[in-house]
Amino acid sequence: MPNPWTGIGNPYTRQEVVDRLNASLKKGEPIIAAGAGTGISAKFIEKGGADLIIIYNSGRFRMSGHGSTCGLMAYGDANAVAMEIGEYEVLPTVKEIPVICGVHATDPRRRMWHWLGKVKDMGFSGVNNFPTHTIVDGHFRQVLEETGMSVQKEFEMVGLAHRMDFFTIVYVATPEEAVEMTKQGADAVIAHVGTTVGGSIGVVNAVVDWDFTVKRTQEIIDAARSVRKDVFTLTHGGPINTPKDVEYILSKTTADGFVGASSLERMGVEESLTNLTREFKSVGGK
């Protein structure tokens, strides 16, 4: 039976989101998911035709002029920030697009079944594992794994969210993580290849090059699809920044689409405001 409330700013079921994404692919369009840290960002991302809006706690820092990596630091309650952006800015603004909530699954203060219930009650259609420890490596990653803040918590959150009928779209950095997330029921796997390059607060030089980006993205896609053929696969980060970059990575891999946060929201604001201000300043005076 169709959900009578969808399409008027209310949440979608997991299957309804899946059906919407498949409809985009059937039309020959890539899936585009976009981060929104403010209501006005969400409003015009929806107008531009994105398939999904994702709320990250990093969006608040990004749209305050700070680097997105702030979202991984102890600069506030990540879960509370994402919920607040959703409740007061994004969910009241969007009309029809499904909205996904970033969930910090390793926060030891949260009973995850209880928190996900609140996320569902707020009207989100799905969840994403952000902040994510999958993009942390080296000695600090080992410390996190050994002290109760393991990526395993993120896997478990995704499995729980799947059972609660959330659409789940997840970040992974390795093929092994892709396999585990897909086993837990993830509907969409995002190959995260590093912090987005460019702009005023992006990294200056690519942490990874294009050869690595293409290779690692396809490895993650292949790993996810080895578990389930119908999983959506998306790209994110590193040198993938502009529409031309997305066109390139999609031509070199079998990915279904792209997730843009800094590359959509922040870059759009930086370029347009800079150019518009310059135009005003160039107007001839008296």
Side-chain angles (χ1 to χ4, degrees):
M1 178 178 178
N3 184 344
W5 301 111
T6 54
I8 52 174
N10 288 286
Y12 292 87
T13 66
R14 172 189 167 274
Q15 189 59 52
E16 286 170 337
V17 179
V18 168
D19 290 344
R20 286 170 62 92
L21 299 186
N22 277 322
S24 285
L25 294 177
K26 190 174 181 180
K27 289 188 290 185
E29 299 174 353
I31 294 168
I32 300 297
T38 66
I40 195 167
S41 297
K43 182 175 183 177
F44 288 97
I45 285 169
E46 179 174 35
K47 189 174 181 179
D51 296 285
L52 300 171
I53 286 176
I54 306 177
I55 297 179
Y56 308 97
N57 73 313
S58 59
R60 171 154 294 172
F61 296 104
R62 181 165 52 243
M63 300 311 288
S64 296
H66 310 298
S68 298
T69 306
C70 288
L72 297 174
M73 305 301 288
Y75 301 150
D77 183 336
N79 285 309
V81 169
M83 181 72 84
E84 185 178 88
I85 295 171
E87 180 175 8
Y88 297 115
E89 298 196 48
V90 174
L91 289 169
T93 303
V94 300
K95 302 300 182 184
E96 192 263 344
I97 190 171
V99 181
I100 310 300
C101 185
V103 174
H104 194 190
T106 60
D107 185 342
R109 304 166 300 173
R110 301 286 183 184
R111 295 167 292 160
M112 199 44 58
W113 62 269
H114 181 252
W115 182 248
L116 290 179
K118 290 187 174 183
V119 171
K120 182 172 281 287
D121 288 344
M122 186 55 65
F124 289 97
S125 298
V127 297
N128 168 255
N129 61 322
F130 193 89
T132 175
H133 293 181
T134 63
I135 59 176
V136 179
D137 58 14
H139 176 69
F140 187 50
R141 172 66 177 271
Q142 181 181 345
V143 171
L144 291 172
E145 293 290 329
E146 294 179 0
T147 55
M149 290 164 279
S150 169
V151 168
Q152 181 64 34
K153 298 280 188 180
E154 297 182 31
F155 300 154
E156 293 169 359
M157 182 276 288
V158 170
L160 178 58
H162 177 74
R163 295 194 295 276
M164 293 175 70
D165 198 40
F166 277 112
F167 178 83
T168 52
I169 176 169
V170 302
Y171 283 118
V172 301
T174 68
E176 293 76 19
E177 291 166 352
V179 166
E180 186 56 36
M181 282 294 198
T182 311
K183 286 181 177 178
Q184 291 288 345
D187 297 295
V189 170
I190 310 163
H192 196 304
V193 295
T195 303
T196 302
V197 175
S200 65
I201 51 176
V203 295
V204 175
N205 297 305
V207 177
V208 293
D209 60 23
W210 270 112
D211 288 341
F212 176 86
T213 297
V214 170
K215 182 174 182 292
R216 176 50 57 92
T217 298
Q218 190 61 53
E219 287 172 348
I220 288 172
I221 291 169
D222 292 342
R225 289 180 179 163
S226 73
V227 177
R228 207 174 66 247
K229 296 294 184 185
D230 64 347
V231 64
F232 299 107
T233 56
L234 307 169
T235 65
H236 178 81
I240 311 168
N241 188 5
T242 68
K244 286 187 176 180
D245 296 334
V246 174
E247 184 177 28
Y248 179 79
I249 192 70
L250 295 184
S251 73
K252 295 296 183 180
T253 68
T254 57
D256 296 313
F258 170 70
V259 177
S262 294
S263 51
L264 262 165
E265 187 177 40
R266 174 170 63 82
M267 298 300 188
V269 170
E270 288 184 11
E271 183 175 354
S272 61
L273 287 183
T274 300
N275 292 337
L276 184 59
T277 303
R278 285 173 178 162
E279 286 184 30
F280 276 115
K281 285 292 291 181
S282 67
V283 173
K286 291 184 179 179

